[in-house]
Amino acid sequence: MKWTAPRGTRDILPGEVEQWQWLEQTFAEVCRLYDFREIRIPTFEHTEVFTRGVGDSSDIVRKEMYTFLDKGERSMTLRPEGTAGVARAFVEEGMQSLPFPVRLYYNLNLFRYERVAKGRYREFHQLGAEAFGAAGPEMELELLSLLFAFFQKLGLREVSLRLNCVGSFADRKAYNEALRAYFAPHVSELCSDCVQRLELNPMRILDCKVPGCQNWVDQAPSLMDFISPTSQAHFETLCMGLDSLGIPYEVDPKIVRGLDYYTDTVFEFVSEHVGTQGTICGGGRYDALIEEMGGAPTPAVGFALGVERLLMELQAQNLLPTVQMGPDLYVGYVGDRALERARLLVHQARTLGLAAQMELTGRSVKAQLKYANRLGAHAVLILGETELETGMGRLKWMQTGTEDPVSIQEPDAWLSSLVAKRRKEES
Ligand code: HAM
């Protein structure tokens, strides 16, 4: 039997992993500048954390969760997103007693049983941030400015910020009633998902991509007419703040988001390059979630970036760093005496900070050189009787084919200059 990875999951191999590490480190660095601290949470939670947190009417809870009974007959779910788990941890770990706002970031793998497509997986990854305890639009600005700084650091262009205000739960209740009345006469023309949405959450019809449904969206009642003056003022201040920071955005009434916990501000960063899965990042305010998780009412805002989609976008814009695959130094040998010396030399090279490999499978000299070449080794030294006798070897630079004489007895000097050379090339 030859096994394959489950549909919608993938292996991330050396060569690609370094690009992930670069992205993760760049995100961590930007989060440090904004004084966000990392949080790590469990991969699975009690199912209720998501049914209550993300909400019964969301696609995630209705049809996408990996839910199972554990051996104690408790219902558990692999996390489909990060916010509900972070909110659960915030309450459980007593973070309400920390100075507000509490600023957290994360790097998580997530699980959703979705229809697999380009940029849409069943196991995927998010870099995200959540801030608890700040009710004003300044907190949204802080997060959007963090995202903007991150994109700038990556060199990313052609990603646009779309912003909307979805009001309070009470505002939305009234709005959803109005939408039900508006869409009811057109029910036979809606897609099957939207027929269900009409019952559960009619606002989701607004961001349905099916053309038949889109026909009715433009004339639908506007959410803005249902939103309280306080929410409108919050949104206006946020927009003015974005203007003053020079962050471009577009107010888009069709951004309604697929998770139930949002209140007031919602936003997405959308790209033209990722096919139908153009949303790279989604987020917003969720002022009622902490209370829902059993904590004292605490305002909150956050976002999550889809790592796979962000990498696809960076690739499309030619912004991914080239990855050096081979070691800095490869040491081969002929004979047992030379083997001993090679072992010590490689150890010394590693102590000084070089990535080094030595011959381990007993290849011939010719095969050793071929192997070093395939590895992409930067420099190669092969030790034999002559080298041991004279105390000198020839360090071969694989890119140019040129050679330099080097001391075998006292290698510190040339190993150190190799370290300096590699550092210079990397920076
Ligand atoms: P979301 O919109 O469900 O929001 O996901 C955020 C991002 O994760 C999406 O924009 C997309 O880039 C990526 N993503 C989602 N599903 C998949 C998938 N199946 N395959 C690949 N990438 C995917 C949330 O998860 C919220 N927790 C965001 C948030 C944080 N709101 C407040 N705080």
Side-chain angles (χ1 to χ4, degrees), residues 11 35 38 43 52 55 70 95 102-103 121 136 139 145 154 162 170 205 215 257 271 311 362 376 382 386 404 411:
D11 303 308
D35 201 21
E38 186 178 355
T43 310
R52 295 178 73 105
D70 72 5
M95 284 188 254
V102 176
R103 308 144 85 97
Y121 305 99
M139 197 68 242
S145 145
L154 298 173
R162 312 251 170 99
I205 301 175
N215 285 342
R257 309 280 300 131
S271 135
L311 285 167
I382 302 213
T386 320
D404 282 332

Side-chain angles (χ1 to χ4, degrees), residues 81 83 112 114 119 121 126 130 257 261-262 279-280 302:
E81 60 104 54
T83 312
R112 295 184 193 174
E114 295 214 63
Y121 305 99
Q126 286 182 349
E130 314 287 352
R257 309 280 300 131
Y261 48 58
Y262 292 111
T279 309
I280 285 177

